[in-house]
Amino acid sequence: MRSDIILSGVGGQGILSIAAVIGQAAISAGLHMKQSEVHGMSQRGGDVQSHLRISDKEIFSDLVPHGGADMILSVEPMESLRYLPWLSKQGWIITNSQPFVNIPNYPDAKAVIAEIEKQPKHIIVNADELAKAAGNSRGMNMVMAGAASLFIDIPQEKMEGAIEFLFGRKGPEIVKTNIAAFRAGREFAEKKRG
Amino acid sequence: MAKEKMMLMGDEAIAQGAIDAGVSGFYAYPGTPSTEIMEYAQHSKDAAALNIHRQWSANEKTAMESALGMSYCGKRAMVSMKHVGLNVAADPFVNSGVTGANGGIIVVAADDPSMHSSQDEQDSRILAKFALLPIFEPANQQEAYDMAFAGFELSEKYKTPVMLRLTTRLAHSRAGVAQKSRLSQKELKLPENKRQFVLLPGIARKQYKTLVANQAKFMEEAEKSPFNRYIDGKDKSRGIIACGLAYNYLMENYPDGCPHPVIKLCQYPVPKKMVEKLVNETKEILVLEDGQPMVEEALRGLLDRDVKVKGRITGELPRDGELNPLFVRRALGMADICGQPAPAIVAGRPPAFCVGCGHIDAYNAIKQVVTEGYGDGHVFADIGCYTLAALPPFEVVNSCVDMGASITMAKGAADAGLFPACAVIGDSTFCHSGMTGLLDCVIENANVVIFILDNSATAMTGGQDSHATGRLSEICKGLGVDEKHIRIVTPLKKNHDEMVQVIKEEIEHKGVSVIIPTRECIQTLGKKNKKGGE
Ligand SMILES: Cc1ncc(C[n+]2csc(CCOP(=O)(O)OP(=O)(O)O)c2C)c(N)n1
Ligand code: SF4
C-alpha cells in the first residue's frame, strides 16, 4: 500500500492537524510514514504545503516526487491548484470550496472552482459548512481529513482512534465533535465518489 | 519488548538523541530551520526531570561560548543554530577547533538551501572544513538521532567539537525513530590541562598542530563510519556519491535498487579510500549534494584532469537551490515525470503581517512621516516579521542584511550625510546584535532615529521569549541614549497622530533618538490567552 499526499493551504489554517491525524493512523496501522512540513517565513499568511507519505515499504524521499502524488488535499481551493505539477495522472484533488482571501489579486472564486472541475478526479466540499452542521465550527480540518480518508487504505477505526489519541487531552467533547466532523467529510466524499 | 518508535522531525530527533546521549546543556538562538531543537528540549519532560539546561541565549555567539564553557567542565553540550547563525558564532566556532573540547560538544548547523526562510543558502560544511572539524550529515531522522550519540563519542575521543549539519527538509520532516537506552550525564571534571582553553599564541600554535595531525584520524573514522557506505552496483559506467539527504532522492528514483556503485556519504572528512575505489571502478562520478558543491569541487580539484566529475558545477544539477527527486532524476539521465503546470489563475500568496499586528500601525506612521515626507530610501530595517514592510502595500524598508545591520547601516548612512537616517529593528534582534551598534551611535552622537519594535517576542521564528522584554528603555539608557529621546509609544490606530508627532520631533533632534513602539505580538498573545482559558 502506498499513499503520497500533498496537503496545502494558507499559513495559519492548520493543515498540520490533518497530517497529524492521517500520520498517526498510519503509524497505528503499522505503516511507514514520512511527513515534511513548512515552518518559518511562509507561516505568516503565505501558501503552505506538507508532504505526507505512507507506505508498507521503506520510504526514502521526504518529498513527494513531481507527478507522484495520489492526492492533493487542500483546505483552500486556489491552493489546491498550485500543486498540480505534483499530482499523478490518476490522482485526486480533494479541496475545501471556501476561499481564504488575504491578497488583493485573489482570482474570481467561480473561475477557481471551474479550474478544479477540469480535473478528472476531484471532490469539492464546503468543509466550513459541514463542520458547523456537525456542531464543530472549528472542525473544517477534520472534515477534510474525513473526505480524504476514503481514498487512503487505512481502516476508519484507526483514523478515528488517531483523533481520539491526538485530541483526548482536550476532553471527550472535543473528541466527539471532531469525529462527527470527520464522519461528515467521509460521508460527503462517499456520495460524491458514487 | 521493543519500545514503539517515536514520530520525530529531524530537529526533534537530534534533541531527543542528545537527551538520551547524556547531554547536560542545550544552547541556541532561534532560527529556521533549527528552532525546534531547543523547543523540543524545552518541552521535553525527560529533559526537565534530568535538569538539562535548555534556555535561549542572546545570540549564536553567546550560545556557542556557553556550550564551550559546559564542555570545559567535562559535560556534554549541544549548540544549535541556522546556517547564518554560524557566521555570528564563527569566531568561537573556528577557535574551538584549536581549544578542542573536554566534554563532548556538537554544533548543529541547519542549512536552508532554496532560502525558504533565509537571506542566503551558504553551506555550513564548508565552515566546518575551514575549522578542520569532523561533520555528520544525517540522511534520515533515525540517523539524526543516532548521530547525537556518535557525535559526542567522537568529540570526546579526539577532544574536538564536531558539526552536525542538516538541511530544512530533514529538519522539518517527521518519521519513526527508535530510541536507544539512555546514558547518564557526565560528572563535572575540569580539563587535565588547565591551559587547554587559553589560546595565547604559544599554546594555540601547539594545539593547532594537534588539530592538523588529527585530520588523518578524522578521515580514518569516516572510512569506517557506519553512516558511510559503499554499495556496489553492476553498471560501472557511473559511480554516484550521495551526501546526506541526497541519498534518499537517489533511491527514490531507483525503487528496485541503484544499478551503479554508490557511496552514501554522511560523515566527513570525505573518506579518500572509499572515493578512490569508486573512481577506479567507474567511468565517471556524479555527486549529489544539497547546498554548495563542496564534495564535487574537492574531487574535481583545480585542474579537473583525471576524474570525470559531474554535479552542480557541470550543470547536471542546478547550481543553486534545494535538491529534490526530480532534479536528481534528471541528473541520472531519466525522463521527467511531472503533473500539469499550475493554471495561470493561481496567484502568488506572499507572507504578510497578521491582521491586527502592531508593526502595521508603526509602519503606517513611519511611512507617513519618513517615506512620504522625505522620499523612499531612508529606512534601514532588520530581520524579523517587520521585514515584510519591504513588500506591498508598505514598500517602506530599504535594507535587510544581517541581524543588527539596521542600526549600523543607518549610522554609516548618517555619516555619509543622509537625512533622516532611520533604523527599524525588532526587540529580539536588538538584543542579538543591535546593542553594540547603538553604542557606536551614542559614542559619536550619530544623527539617527532608531525604532525598536517591541512585541515582547521573537515572532518570526514562532514567538519565543525575547531577552528584551521589559528591559529595552533601561538598556538604551544604560548605553548612553539621552532619556528625553527614548520615546515609548503604543502602536494602535487610535494613536496614529501621536506617533506621527513623536517621529517628527525625533527626526528634528540632532543626535541619537530611540522610539519604542510597544505592543505584544497578537500571535503570542493569542496563545497565552488560550492557555489561560484551558
Ligand atoms: C544570525 C541569525 N540568527 C537567527 C536568524 C533567524 N531570525 C530571523 S528573524 C528572527 C527573530 C526576530 O525577532 P524580532 O527582532 O523580535 O522581530 P519580530 O519577528 O518579533 O517582529 C530570527 C531569530 C537570522 N536570520 N539570523
Ligand atoms: S507573528 Fe506577531 S509580530 Fe509577526 S506579523 Fe503576526 S502579529 Fe505581527
Side-chain angles (χ1 to χ4, degrees), chain B residues 333-393:
Chain B
M334 300 181 188
D336 275 17
I337 302 178
C338 207
Q340 317 154 39
I345 194 173
V346 176
R349 203 185 296 254
F353 289 118
C354 306
V355 179
C357 172
H359 294 344
I360 297 174
D361 300 297
Y363 274 119
N364 277 330
I366 294 170
K367 183 167 186 170
Q368 182 179 328
V369 181
V370 183
T371 315
E372 285 161 15
Y374 299 88
D376 192 2
H378 295 264
V379 182
F380 300 89
D382 228 296
I383 306 184
C385 285
Y386 51 93
T387 319
L388 293 171
L391 308 175

Side-chain angles (χ1 to χ4, degrees), chain B residues 270-511:
Chain B
V270 180
K272 194 172 159 187
K273 280 186 207 145
M274 225 184 242
V275 172
E276 221 162 16
K277 182 174 167 195
L278 191 72
V279 168
N280 288 341
E281 288 192 1
T282 57
K283 288 217 179 67
E284 62 171 42
I285 304 289
L286 174 68
V287 182
L288 308 173
E289 55 192 324
D290 225 346
Q292 290 170 271
M294 181 181 98
V295 174
E296 186 183 345
E297 230 159 30
L299 277 191
R300 181 187 306 286
L302 182 63
L303 298 183
D304 194 7
R305 278 191 184 157
D306 304 332
V307 189
K308 203 164 170 201
V309 187
K310 295 186 165 175
R312 285 187 183 268
I313 297 174
T314 47
E316 267 71 21
L317 291 162
R319 180 62 180 78
D320 63 340
E322 187 185 19
L323 291 184
N324 62 36
L326 180 63
F327 291 159
V328 168
R329 190 174 175 83
R330 287 178 183 160
L332 294 168
M334 300 181 188
D336 275 17
I337 302 178
C338 207
Q340 317 154 39
I345 194 173
V346 176
R349 203 185 296 254
F353 289 118
C354 306
V355 179
C357 172
H359 294 344
I360 297 174
D361 300 297
Y363 274 119
N364 277 330
I366 294 170
K367 183 167 186 170
Q368 182 179 328
V369 181
V370 183
T371 315
E372 285 161 15
Y374 299 88
D376 192 2
H378 295 264
V379 182
F380 300 89
D382 228 296
I383 306 184
C385 285
Y386 51 93
T387 319
L388 293 171
L391 308 175
F394 288 101
E395 299 179 283
V396 182
V397 312
N398 306 104
S399 77
C400 158
V401 181
D402 67 278
M403 293 188 82
S406 58
I407 295 180
T408 31
M409 280 185 74
K411 177 182 179 297
D415 294 346
L418 183 73
F419 175 81
C422 303
V424 182
I425 185 168
D427 53 336
S428 182
T429 303
F430 178 71
C431 284
H432 177 289
S433 286
M435 297 190 288
T436 43
L438 178 56
L439 186 59
D440 280 353
C441 293
V442 167
I443 299 289
E444 293 189 37
N445 198 29
N447 194 12
V448 291
V449 180
I450 297 166
F451 296 84
I452 309 179
L453 307 187
D454 185 1
N455 58 0
S456 308
T458 314
M460 178 88 259
T461 46
Q464 296 78 16
D465 289 341
S466 158
H467 276 31
T469 304
R471 293 190 185 88
L472 274 181
S473 59
E474 289 305 313
I475 292 174
C476 296
K477 253 187 258 171
L479 288 171
V481 181
D482 180 353
E483 207 169 330
K484 289 201 295 292
H485 297 287
I486 302 174
R487 310 285 297 268
I488 298 178
V489 295
T490 306
L492 282 169
K493 214 182 216 151
K494 62 173 189 186
N495 297 339
H496 179 78
D497 292 344
E498 180 202 331
M499 281 191 285
V500 164
Q501 185 55 32
V502 168
I503 298 170
K504 281 185 176 160
E505 285 168 21
E506 294 309 325
I507 287 177
E508 284 313 311
H509 166 240
K510 301 277 167 280

Side-chain angles (χ1 to χ4, degrees), chain B residues 117-432:
Chain B
S117 297
S118 304
Q119 312 100 284
D120 70 28
E121 59 171 35
Q122 63 189 65
D123 188 327
S124 296
R125 294 177 304 171
I126 294 174
L127 244 103
K129 186 171 182 286
F130 178 58
L132 302 179
L133 297 178
I135 308 163
F136 291 86
E137 186 185 10
N140 55 46
Q141 292 77 357
Q142 184 68 53
E143 286 190 348
Y145 175 88
D146 295 340
M147 282 175 177
F149 285 76
F152 282 131
E153 224 169 86
L154 191 74
S155 172
E156 283 164 7
K157 182 167 175 191
Y158 295 101
K159 296 212 162 298
T160 180
V162 302
M163 173 182 281
L164 203 169
R165 182 250 190 180
L166 77 168
T167 54
T168 310
R169 207 45 72 184
L170 180 59
H172 291 162
S173 171
R174 267 171 232 282
V177 171
Q179 248 180 308
K180 300 187 188 202
S181 44
R182 181 165 301 147
L183 307 176
S184 45
Q185 291 182 44
K186 303 274 171 175
E187 297 294 324
L188 195 150
K189 188 167 173 283
L190 299 188
E192 271 159 39
N193 171 7
K194 298 291 183 299
R195 308 291 164 264
Q196 180 189 333
F197 287 80
V198 184
L199 294 185
L200 273 170
I203 301 171
R205 267 182 225 123
K206 230 169 80 194
Q207 296 194 171
Y208 186 62
K209 281 189 195 302
T210 312
L211 177 63
V212 171
N214 271 340
Q215 298 305 301
K217 296 179 191 158
F218 296 165
M219 171 89 69
E220 234 169 84
E221 293 285 346
E223 298 278 4
K224 61 180 196 212
S225 162
F227 301 114
N228 290 341
R229 260 190 302 154
Y230 190 102
I231 307 151
D232 210 359
K234 281 209 185 80
D235 183 350
K236 315 279 185 194
S237 62
R238 170 190 286 157
I240 300 171
I241 300 179
C243 305
L245 206 60
Y247 177 72
N248 300 339
Y249 300 144
L250 173 67
M251 297 314 289
E252 187 67 32
N253 281 299
Y254 287 119
D256 304 316
C258 179
H260 305 287
V262 176
I263 294 177
K264 170 181 172 287
L265 177 54
C266 293
Q267 183 177 334
Y268 304 72
V270 180
K272 194 172 159 187
K273 280 186 207 145
M274 225 184 242
V275 172
E276 221 162 16
K277 182 174 167 195
L278 191 72
V279 168
N280 288 341
E281 288 192 1
T282 57
K283 288 217 179 67
E284 62 171 42
I285 304 289
L286 174 68
V287 182
L288 308 173
E289 55 192 324
D290 225 346
Q292 290 170 271
M294 181 181 98
V295 174
E296 186 183 345
E297 230 159 30
L299 277 191
R300 181 187 306 286
L302 182 63
L303 298 183
D304 194 7
R305 278 191 184 157
D306 304 332
V307 189
K308 203 164 170 201
V309 187
K310 295 186 165 175
R312 285 187 183 268
I313 297 174
T314 47
E316 267 71 21
L317 291 162
R319 180 62 180 78
D320 63 340
E322 187 185 19
L323 291 184
N324 62 36
L326 180 63
F327 291 159
V328 168
R329 190 174 175 83
R330 287 178 183 160
L332 294 168
M334 300 181 188
D336 275 17
I337 302 178
C338 207
Q340 317 154 39
I345 194 173
V346 176
R349 203 185 296 254
F353 289 118
C354 306
V355 179
C357 172
H359 294 344
I360 297 174
D361 300 297
Y363 274 119
N364 277 330
I366 294 170
K367 183 167 186 170
Q368 182 179 328
V369 181
V370 183
T371 315
E372 285 161 15
Y374 299 88
D376 192 2
H378 295 264
V379 182
F380 300 89
D382 228 296
I383 306 184
C385 285
Y386 51 93
T387 319
L388 293 171
L391 308 175
F394 288 101
E395 299 179 283
V396 182
V397 312
N398 306 104
S399 77
C400 158
V401 181
D402 67 278
M403 293 188 82
S406 58
I407 295 180
T408 31
M409 280 185 74
K411 177 182 179 297
D415 294 346
L418 183 73
F419 175 81
C422 303
V424 182
I425 185 168
D427 53 336
S428 182
T429 303
F430 178 71
C431 284
H432 177 289

